[in-house]
Amino acid sequence: MSTAFAGSAMAWERLLDTWRELQVPEGWRPELTAEGIQMTPPPGGKHNLIADLVDDALRRVRPAGCGIFQTLGVGIHATGSIYVPDLCVVPRDAVPDDSDPVLAEHVLLAVEITSPSNGEHDRKKKKWAYAHGGIPQYLLIDAFDEDGPAVSLFTEPVQGVYSRTVRVPFGQPAEIGEPFGIRLETAGF
């Protein structure tokens, strides 16, 4: 994957214009990448139940002034992409008033919950993009991991790569570092 997009203000504005003009069915999430537009249908019940558990856990420990969002676009200028994480924690004052995506540099935590159709995308492309965007923590909840259902926390992005990964199987608590400082119980996943 290339970062040739970085530094092209004109290309970024074209990407934003495309994002602004998208008309998507209710509940669908559009994501823009170098490969094109990917449409994700509304998630199913199990996915929503996991998202609810994570949201509930984060709500109690989120930093003051931050919100937990499920439909917020995240713009990653370095990769020329806009993703919509399943959950992300962002300071409310960084969220644009319009439909523009929040810039990745403001995201404290991005959370993705895999499905059979998007697992590889979440494990590789999104991890790569979130690291390039400097998102300090990426939590991947992966029921379809080839080594068994697991939660992986990627931290310490350096030059587009997360330099630290902690993986725990479902059923074991996952430690999410500061500013959250929480043991996320995964038994319900």
Side-chain angles (χ1 to χ4, degrees), residues 41-66:
K46 185 67 173 169
H47 180 285
N48 285 318
L49 291 170
I50 292 172
D52 180 60
L53 290 171
V54 175
D55 182 275
D56 187 52
L58 290 173
R59 197 157 297 282
R60 291 179 263 144
V61 297
R62 68 183 166 184
C66 288

Side-chain angles (χ1 to χ4, degrees), residues 9-71:
M10 188 178 289
W12 181 252
E13 282 304 314
R14 283 196 305 271
L15 182 75
L16 286 178
D17 287 343
T18 301
W19 176 261
R20 292 172 186 132
E21 293 171 9
L22 287 175
Q23 301 211 0
V24 297
E26 183 77 27
W28 285 69
R29 295 183 314 194
E31 296 183 324
L32 280 64
T33 67
E35 292 85 29
I37 299 171
Q38 178 174 331
M39 297 291 291
T40 304
K46 185 67 173 169
H47 180 285
N48 285 318
L49 291 170
I50 292 172
D52 180 60
L53 290 171
V54 175
D55 182 275
D56 187 52
L58 290 173
R59 197 157 297 282
R60 291 179 263 144
V61 297
R62 68 183 166 184
C66 288
I68 302 168
F69 303 95
Q70 291 192 32
T71 58

Side-chain angles (χ1 to χ4, degrees), residues 53-133:
L53 290 171
V54 175
D55 182 275
D56 187 52
L58 290 173
R59 197 157 297 282
R60 291 179 263 144
V61 297
R62 68 183 166 184
C66 288
I68 302 168
F69 303 95
Q70 291 192 32
T71 58
L72 186 62
V74 173
I76 305 162
H77 196 275
T79 63
S81 56
I82 300 173
Y83 286 112
V84 181
D86 291 313
L87 293 165
C88 62
V89 181
V90 178
R92 286 185 197 93
D93 62 3
V95 176
D97 292 333
D98 53 19
S99 64
D100 283 3
V102 67
L103 296 176
E105 63 201 43
H106 299 296
V107 177
L108 303 177
L109 171 71
V111 180
E112 295 290 356
I113 303 165
T114 64
S115 68
S117 64
N118 74 359
E120 281 302 302
H121 189 71
D122 290 350
R123 286 180 209 111
K124 294 180 180 172
K125 290 182 181 180
K126 285 189 177 182
K127 182 175 86 169
W128 178 84
Y130 292 161
H132 275 81

